[in-house]
Amino acid sequence: DYCLCRICSEYKFSLSSEKYCHFREVEIVKEHIEKTIFPQNIRNSLGAYRNVFKVGGQEEVMEILTFNYYAKN
C-alpha cells in the first residue's frame, strides 16, 4: 500500500527526538492506497519503497486517486 502526504514545512533539524533529528511536517491526505489501482507504468515510476519522493506522472496519479475515491463513495 501507498500513503499520500503533503509536505507542510521546510526541512527541520531538532535534537529533541532520539529517533528522528531531520524531518519535515506532513499532512496525511490518504492512507492505504492499494497499488493495484495504478497501471503498471505508474507502479514502475513509483519504484521501490522510499520515504519521501516526488511522484512522476503526478496528473495521472491524481486522476486515478480522484476517480477511485468517487467510485467508492
Side-chain angles (χ1 to χ4, degrees):
D1 289 0
Y2 296 113
C3 179
L4 179 65
C5 299
R6 180 177 293 118
I7 296 173
C8 300
S9 74
E10 295 296 321
Y11 162 82
K12 296 182 179 187
F13 176 82
S14 173
L15 293 175
S16 62
S17 171
E18 292 181 25
K19 190 171 183 181
Y20 302 107
C21 295
H22 305 272
F23 62 95
R24 292 176 183 233
E25 295 175 15
V26 298
E27 171 191 351
I28 298 174
V29 177
K30 178 147 178 68
E31 293 182 289
H32 311 295
I33 302 168
E34 296 178 25
K35 293 178 181 182
T36 57
I37 69 168
F38 298 107
Q40 190 63 47
N41 66 318
I42 294 294
R43 282 186 268 168
N44 290 345
S45 74
L46 295 174
Y49 175 80
R50 296 183 219 173
N51 289 330
V52 176
F53 59 97
K54 188 172 183 177
V55 175
Q58 291 177 32
E59 291 177 15
E60 186 176 3
V61 168
M62 293 310 296
E63 286 177 20
I64 292 167
L65 290 174
T66 302
F67 174 78
N68 200 272
Y69 172 80
Y70 289 111
K72 288 183 177 182
N73 291 313

